[in-house]
């Protein structure tokens, strides 16, 4: 008799008294409820046998694989929990007198404003400097009428949600980078941990945290798909050395961090190039390497422009 796919007669059949059989039934033709009961008894016996018997190599391999899977999941959960407080949600606003139609209308300085776009960023230091993409705040940076505003949503170290008006400290369109500043007086924020893109390898894991389509604190995972890519910058130039990844980066992710397995920032998520055709679409995602960011942001904080623009 074969038992539950094990392919061998591990146990002898369990006898069932003929007194329990209908008079017209033969031992080889049993009622379905007796077969069900019989299978349940056999299954319980098999499970007990496996639990009481010494672990086989097969059992040990399964247990080890399950343990490793759980450890990987726990690591990603911890990475998100420890890093997400450093990621902010950015809303671009335009002051309007009589908003006729908009997905969202908010009050800014006692005036009505509509949400023109959203993006992401991350806390650079304890003074409230925030790194994001230039194209996320381009309208504010080029505002000539004083109608543009920027609202940043963040959490402090204790997990309290906050919203602050932000002002632009410096921009570098050549590298699609910008620095905002919010007032953090009286609160403690959590800056990101900075890594390096110089030792990256194609195939290693990476993680993106941001606010795609306005959905806050979204985590996507993937691998480093390519290195040393060249992508266009907002001012028409080229950004060299970009990181290519298959971690999903959608509208609203721009300006958020790309992380390695240690939760360190290795890039700033900046662009997705999509080619549509034959009823399908595929996207290729890119991030500005953190080494480029490290060379640019200090000058933006101090001087408001990149080093090369000062001379």
């Amino acid at each position: 008799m074969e038992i539950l796919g094990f392919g061998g007669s591990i146990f002898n059949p369990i006898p069932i008294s003929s007194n329990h059989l209908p008079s017209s039934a033969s031992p080889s033709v049993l009622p379905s409820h007796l077969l069900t009961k019989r299978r349940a008894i056999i299954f319980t016996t098999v499970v007990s046998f496996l639990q009481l018997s010494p672990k086989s190599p097969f059992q040990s391999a399964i247990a080890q694989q399950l343990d490793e899977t759980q450890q990987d999941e726990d690591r990603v959960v911890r990475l998100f929990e420890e890093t997400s407080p450093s990621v902010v949600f950015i809303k671009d606003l335009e002051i309007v007198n009589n908003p006729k139609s908009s997905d969202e209308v908010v009050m800014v300085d006692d005036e009505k404003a509509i949400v023109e776009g959203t993006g992401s960023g991350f806390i650079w230091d304890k003074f409230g400097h925030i790194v994001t993409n230039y194209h996320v705040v381009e309208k504010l940076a080029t505002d000539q009428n004083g109608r543009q505003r920027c609202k940043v949503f963040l959490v402090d170290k204790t997990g309290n949600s906050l919203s602050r008006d932000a002002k632009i400290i410096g921009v570098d369109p050549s590298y699609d980078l910008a620095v905002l500043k919010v007032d953090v007086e009286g609160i403690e924020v959590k800056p990101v941990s900075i890594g390096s893109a110089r030792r990256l390898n194609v195939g290693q894991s990476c993680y993106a945290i941001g606010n795609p389509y306005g959905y806050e604190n979204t985590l996507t995972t993937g691998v480093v798909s390519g290195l040393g890519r060249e992508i266009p910058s907002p001012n028409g130039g080229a950004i060299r050395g970009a990181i290519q990844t298959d971690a999903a980066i959608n509208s609203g992710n721009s300006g958020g961090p790309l992380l390695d397995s240690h939760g360190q920032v290795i890039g700033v998520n900046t662009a997705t190039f999509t080619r549509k055709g034959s009823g399908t679409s595929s996207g290729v995602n890119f991030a500005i390497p953190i080494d480029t960011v490290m060379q640019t942001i200090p000058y933006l904080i101090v001087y408001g422009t990149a080093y090369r623009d000062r001379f």
Side-chain angles (χ1 to χ4, degrees), residues 29 66 82 89 107 109-110 113 120 132 183 193 221 232 235 241 281:
V29 182
L66 292 174
E82 293 173 0
F89 183 25
M107 296 297 295
D109 298 329
D110 297 327
S120 304
T132 187
D183 181 11
S193 176
T221 66
N235 67 355
S281 63

Side-chain angles (χ1 to χ4, degrees), residues 80-126:
F80 175 77
E81 291 176 344
E82 293 173 0
T83 309
S84 59
S86 304
V87 182
V88 304
F89 183 25
I90 299 172
K91 287 187 178 181
D92 292 318
L93 309 172
E94 181 183 8
I95 303 297
V96 291
N97 295 326
N98 296 302
K100 295 181 180 179
S101 63
S102 174
D103 292 336
E104 188 174 356
V105 178
V106 298
M107 296 297 295
V108 179
D109 298 329
D110 297 327
E111 294 184 280
K112 290 183 179 180
I114 61 172
V115 178
E116 287 200 317
T118 61
S120 304
F122 53 88
I123 300 172
W124 182 259
D125 57 31
K126 63 180 181 180

Side-chain angles (χ1 to χ4, degrees), residues 92 118 132-139 172-173 176-178 234 252-255 269-271:
D92 292 318
T118 61
T132 187
N133 283 141
Y134 169 76
H135 76 260
V136 171
V137 294
E138 182 176 5
K139 288 185 177 180
D172 183 2
D176 197 13
L177 293 172
N253 271 111
S254 293
N269 300 320
T270 188

Side-chain angles (χ1 to χ4, degrees), residues 67-86:
D67 184 57
E68 290 175 353
T69 300
Q70 186 63 51
Q71 289 179 3
D72 287 341
E73 290 180 353
D74 291 343
R75 178 181 55 79
V76 175
V77 170
R78 286 195 302 271
L79 181 148
F80 175 77
E81 291 176 344
E82 293 173 0
T83 309
S84 59
S86 304

Side-chain angles (χ1 to χ4, degrees), residues 204-260:
Q204 74 178 75
S205 298
C206 59
Y207 310 86
I209 299 179
N211 309 280
Y213 305 110
Y215 291 102
E216 298 181 53
N217 282 327
T218 296
L219 170 70
T220 56
T221 66
V223 299
V224 174
S225 305
L227 297 167
R229 304 307 195 199
E230 183 175 304
I231 59 175
S233 65
N235 67 355
I239 302 174
R240 296 178 175 83
I243 303 166
Q244 180 184 335
T245 176
D246 67 346
I249 299 174
N250 297 297
S251 177
N253 271 111
S254 293
L258 185 68
L259 309 165
D260 63 14

